[in-house]
Amino acid sequence: MKKLPRDFYDRDTQQVAKALLGKQLVHQQKVGRIVEVEAYLGPHDLAAHSARGLTKRTAVMFGPPGHAYVYLIYGMYHCMNVVTEPEGHASAVLIRALEPLQAIGQRTQGPGLLCQAMAISRAQNAVDLVTDPHFFIANAPAVPSEDIVAKPRIGVDYAGEWKDSPLRFYIKGNRFVSKR
DNA sequence: CTCCGGATTCGT
DNA sequence: CGAATCCGGAGT
């Protein structure tokens, strides 16, 4: 099982988002195949947390690529992202759903549920996925572009002209994708 | 310090 | 459709 290198994350966020489909998210002994993601492009993207500028919470997004950005949402769930593009770009990819592969005993469709199933919380915020021994993303065959569907992101109606941008990507026909 | 609302999920 | 539940960010 080979970890994705820094270079993988250090490029255009939409490219990283699509390339992450099919890869394996690993935390401790748990493994899940990434089947759904969303791209958050940077401060100009009104759906992105970094659109509010550099704050204590969003500092990770402004940092180097390959780090995890984990935050608490609605007081009860966590969402996990991977930081992309060179330091200073403040972009990231949200992991939205996994296909359970190993040691996962709970549902993994939806960003909150997958963090619960993978035991990911704010304790993992800012962890470097390129160097951490227990929390990383492992390489796996790429999903062919004809099997990738692009749709508007979920739950970002507040994002004005950005709310309908097709920045959600998932594997066509995969039963673990969070919504239809 | 107070107030508001959220990259969700579940139950009614 | 509304509740649950709590922290970050903005405003006083």
Side-chain angles (χ1 to χ4, degrees):
Chain A
M1 199 177 304
K2 186 162 185 188
K3 277 179 204 165
L4 296 177
R6 187 85 55 203
D7 289 358
F8 180 92
Y9 306 103
D10 192 3
R11 52 180 167 144
D12 176 80
T13 303
Q14 293 190 57
Q15 296 308 312
V16 177
K18 288 184 273 192
L20 278 173
L21 294 173
K23 302 292 185 279
Q24 299 180 5
L25 179 63
V26 181
H27 185 217
Q28 298 167 5
Q29 298 297 80
K30 303 172 183 57
V31 184
R33 179 171 178 251
I34 299 172
V35 300
E36 178 184 354
V37 297
E38 282 178 2
Y40 289 85
L41 304 187
H44 58 293
D45 174 359
L46 298 181
H49 289 168
S50 54
R52 310 274 188 267
L54 174 59
T55 65
K56 188 159 191 178
R57 181 177 62 148
T58 61
V60 191
M61 284 187 79
F62 286 81
H67 289 245
Y69 167 43
V70 185
Y71 65 93
L72 181 66
I73 184 68
Y74 299 115
M76 40 177 51
Y77 296 100
H78 294 272
C79 288
M80 183 205 157
N81 302 252
V82 185
V83 176
T84 60
E85 304 204 33
E87 183 160 4
H89 272 251
S91 50
V93 174
L94 169 70
I95 312 296
R96 278 199 63 91
L98 302 175
E99 177 177 336
L101 292 184
Q102 193 178 116
I104 298 182
Q106 304 160 60
R107 283 167 305 161
T108 51
Q109 42 188 282
L113 291 176
L114 81 86
C115 282
Q116 204 167 277
M118 294 287 289
I120 294 167
S121 71
R122 278 179 305 169
Q124 278 70 48
N125 188 42
V127 168
D128 186 356
L129 301 172
V130 176
T131 59
D132 193 277
H134 303 299
F135 190 29
F136 58 92
I137 300 175
N139 199 10
V143 173
S145 56
E146 62 265 29
D147 292 337
I148 298 178
V149 182
K151 291 282 196 233
R153 293 171 293 186
I154 305 237
V156 295
D157 289 348
Y158 58 84
E161 60 185 15
W162 283 87
K163 81 180 176 66
D164 296 319
S165 303
L167 293 173
R168 174 185 178 223
F169 304 100
Y170 59 86
I171 300 176
K172 186 190 293 183
N174 189 284
R175 62 176 279 221
F176 296 100
V177 168
S178 67
K179 294 185 182 176
R180 174 162 294 273

